[in-house]
Amino acid sequence: MRSKNATYSTIKDAVLKHLYSNPTKTFNPKQLASNLRLNVGNGRIFIQQALNELRKEESINAIGNHRYRLNYKGDRYDAIFIARANGRHTAKAVENDEIFLIDNRDTRNALNGDRVRIEVLPKTFSHSNNRAARVVEILERAQGNYVGVLQKPLGAKVGFVIPEGNKIQNDIFIPDKHTNDAKDGDMVLVRVIEWRQEDKNPVGEIIDVLGRPEDNDTQMHAILAEFGLPYKYPEELEQLANELPEGLSEKEHSTREDLRHLTTFTIDPIDAKDFDDAISYERLENGNVSVGVHIADVSFYVKPGDPIDIEAQKRATSIYLVDRTIPMLPERLCNDLCSLKPNVDRPAYSVIFELNDKAEVVNYKIAKSIIHSDARLTYEQAYEIIKGEGDPAEEVRQSIIHLSEIAQKIRSRRFEAGAINFERQEIKFILDDQGKPTDVYTKESNEAHQLIEEFMLLANRTIAQHVTEKHLKGHPKRAFIYRIHDLPNEAKLQDLSKFMMKLKYVLKLDGNKEHISKALNEMLVAFRGKPEQNMLETIVLRTMSKAIYTTDNIGHYGLGFPFYTHFTSPIRRYPDVLVHRYLWAYEHEQELDSPGILESQARHCSDQEQLASQAERASIKLKQVEYMSDKIGERFEGMIISVTDFGFFVEIKSNGCEGLVPIHSLTDDFYVYDEKNFCLIGRQYGRVFKLGDSVEIEVDRVNFERKQIDFILC
């Protein structure tokens, strides 16, 4: 640090950090000036001014004879360390979920996911709303693995794995005995087995060779492995599933309601093979209609504690990457025996509703059933029918048109009651035979999606309320698994309201939760159809709490339901399998696992869901990078969707691909980050880059390892 480049605030920070690094030592101003290389010009004067101010703040003590020492012992917390390869580490306190900033020099070689003890630092150490802390002890190492490329030239006794992703900065040292026959340049999965405090690099062992980095399968497996998710299905379980008999015995037939006479169909994505749900429609003599929601009866084939069940419980969810599905169940079950395919009989768990002409439920029935789907429709085909086009069987056509009208009535009533109306765009890719993207586009929800969505929501909330009121009241030892969504944090809502005000949108936070929901919907409607809609909906979503699985019901705020669960997708979600089992057991006065065991399963399912979601996003980022890799130097119109102290992120308007404009590439001025106003401001000329601004960018470079695209301004 040289005095001509140093500002007073940076000198003050430097003095405090130097004292903190030597907490038991005392220093006089001359020593500090020398240690900080500020003993020329006004350096000593600035040092003394900093010391005087730090004394007033009680950050330091004067120890006679103009000597000073740190006056600090911060609060300590147990926390989970969250590593970032860019050095912007954080730690999440176990007791209250507070997020602390951890400087790269203060990690004590903690790894991502480690349980650590942290000490809070003086507020001077943080220039954001989050407090700063340092790791003082590693309590428990996480069992995390890392993906990277092995560098080990032929004949070398040791190698290094260069990690991908953002969870570790340091290369991982691999002794020869731990290479697992991997070759130089292979992409591998490595486990850290040791990292001593005095060592620069951790020591690891290769536990799997994923393949060559240029191969698409290798890249997809690497994404799954990075998040600790499975990328292979056990062959012995596939074989077990292949041995399961098809069809139902006469005895099983006799215990189920035969619904094969009903007009029944499925509506799913064009590439779907696992059909979880089907809808039936029937007009009743009293003028009402009967609508059946029929769900694949996975629990008929997968019994508690059998090998397939144990694997499904561990996985907890299917994973949907851009180019593949990693199933929760063996292929024979998810794509055949359990799937509600057309023109074959299938066992189902059905909820049959009687609705009047106002689309109000006047009665319902829950039953194990046998169904026979008459048609398999895609969302595109169903949407054509709703618009008056398409050419299916007449019974199916009329059913879909009337069901869509009913669904829209239910939907309108749901939003009037306080449900929050998000309409997020979904990024989709067209891939060639090698898995490389040839085009990218955004997909939005239409009336066909909404038809299925509304009846699935109706079935899910009906099951939750039915079990709660009929089977849990008066039975304190019983439990059930709910899908809950807590109210947004009040402070986050206040921050959101202030932020939206800067963008000329109003969010009124007066009144109860219903009033706030209405205000959120009014704001969402206000920017619907505008270029910034997707960006702003993302910001609002980040303000919301995350929906989770639990046995402790508090309702679902986002949907506006006091009771809600997941019943409708047991092929791809393990909580739905549990819901089927508990529902059937309680209907037959049987008891299952204790509430504590069910709560533990619920937490595991929530955790796996989050990991699967992160993997899905990583696969989208990778395909965006691949798609833009041959467009270096091309120009696009974009919008600023996020601003940080290291630059701002831009979304290309034509294809939804995102990239970073690094702050160091803005050479026309010296830009500073205004955290309160979410913008970068040029210090000399005052140019501002803020959320929602339209900018023209040029693709500068892509980084496959970091799954990142860098832009420069045109």
Side-chain angles (χ1 to χ4, degrees), residues 77-83 89-102 112-118 130-131 133 135 492 546 607 610:
Y77 297 93
D78 287 3
I80 303 301
F81 184 73
I82 304 166
H89 313 298
T90 57
K92 184 177 182 180
V94 173
E95 71 175 55
N96 59 12
D97 291 341
E98 182 177 356
I99 301 296
F100 294 89
L101 306 179
I102 310 291
N112 188 65
D114 284 355
R115 188 182 181 99
V116 298
R117 182 157 294 138
I118 60 173
N130 297 92
R131 293 193 286 172
V135 176
K492 287 186 176 181
K546 281 186 169 60
D607 292 342
Q610 289 300 312

Side-chain angles (χ1 to χ4, degrees), residues 537-588:
E537 287 200 352
T538 300
I539 291 169
V540 176
L541 269 174
R542 287 173 182 163
T543 305
M544 300 290 107
S545 303
K546 281 186 169 60
I548 61 169
Y549 298 105
T550 181
T551 57
D552 182 17
N553 181 43
I554 61 170
H556 197 294
Y557 175 75
L559 295 173
F561 296 155
F563 305 96
Y564 192 64
T565 191
H566 275 168
F567 169 81
T568 53
S569 295
I571 291 177
R572 62 184 179 90
R573 293 189 306 226
Y574 194 74
D576 303 53
V577 178
L578 292 172
V579 165
H580 283 215
R581 286 178 183 163
Y582 277 77
L583 170 63
W584 191 91
Y586 293 156
E587 295 277 87
H588 294 81

Side-chain angles (χ1 to χ4, degrees), residues 500-701:
M500 287 299 177
M501 188 71 72
K502 297 178 190 300
L503 298 179
K504 311 303 182 186
Y505 292 104
V506 177
L507 175 60
K508 298 177 181 178
L509 298 178
D510 303 326
N512 58 25
K513 65 178 183 179
E514 287 79 17
H515 290 121
I516 293 173
S517 296
K518 183 180 179 181
L520 282 166
N521 277 332
E522 288 174 351
M523 186 179 67
L524 290 168
V525 169
F527 51 67
R528 190 148 295 151
K530 296 185 178 179
E532 65 266 28
Q533 175 186 340
N534 197 49
M535 174 200 73
L536 293 178
E537 287 200 352
T538 300
I539 291 169
V540 176
L541 269 174
R542 287 173 182 163
T543 305
M544 300 290 107
S545 303
K546 281 186 169 60
I548 61 169
Y549 298 105
T550 181
T551 57
D552 182 17
N553 181 43
I554 61 170
H556 197 294
Y557 175 75
L559 295 173
F561 296 155
F563 305 96
Y564 192 64
T565 191
H566 275 168
F567 169 81
T568 53
S569 295
I571 291 177
R572 62 184 179 90
R573 293 189 306 226
Y574 194 74
D576 303 53
V577 178
L578 292 172
V579 165
H580 283 215
R581 286 178 183 163
Y582 277 77
L583 170 63
W584 191 91
Y586 293 156
E587 295 277 87
H588 294 81
E589 294 301 321
Q590 297 179 11
E591 305 301 325
L592 291 178
D593 292 329
S594 69
I597 292 174
L598 186 58
E599 178 63 26
S600 177
Q601 290 176 316
R603 284 197 301 269
H604 172 70
C605 290
S606 296
D607 292 342
Q608 290 299 107
E609 177 190 28
Q610 289 300 312
L611 290 173
S613 179
Q614 291 174 42
E616 290 161 18
R617 288 196 296 270
S619 76
I620 291 171
K621 286 184 178 179
L622 176 64
K623 292 304 174 187
Q624 287 181 330
V625 170
E626 290 181 359
Y627 179 71
M628 298 301 292
S629 63
D630 63 354
K631 295 169 178 58
I632 306 297
E634 293 187 25
R635 296 184 172 192
F636 297 89
E637 287 295 322
M639 176 187 293
I640 297 176
I641 59 171
S642 178
V643 182
T644 74
D645 59 354
F646 54 87
F648 52 84
F649 288 89
V650 173
E651 180 182 282
I652 295 176
K653 294 179 180 179
S654 60
N655 58 35
C657 292
E658 299 175 11
L660 173 69
V661 177
I663 195 168
H664 63 72
S665 71
L666 304 174
T667 56
D668 63 320
D669 202 343
F670 182 82
Y671 286 87
V672 294
Y673 177 48
D674 182 346
E675 186 177 19
K676 289 185 178 179
N677 293 300
F678 306 96
C679 62
L680 292 179
I681 303 174
R683 182 174 287 174
Q684 184 172 356
Y685 301 112
R687 187 179 182 184
V688 176
F689 294 103
K690 64 181 186 299
L691 283 174
D693 282 354
S694 292
V695 291
E696 185 180 8
I697 56 88
E698 179 182 312
V699 182
D700 185 37
R701 56 186 165 186

Side-chain angles (χ1 to χ4, degrees), residues 302-311 313 574 581 593 601:
V302 181
K303 305 301 182 185
D306 74 18
I308 292 175
D309 179 59
I310 292 170
E311 181 68 19
Q313 181 178 352
Y574 194 74
R581 286 178 183 163
D593 292 329
Q601 290 176 316

Side-chain angles (χ1 to χ4, degrees), residues 39 76 111 268 324 411 494 504 513 634 639 673:
N39 48 4
R76 294 193 174 196
L111 293 166
D268 288 279
R324 69 194 65 202
R411 185 177 180 84
Q494 293 289 348
K504 311 303 182 186
K513 65 178 183 179
E634 293 187 25
M639 176 187 293
Y673 177 48

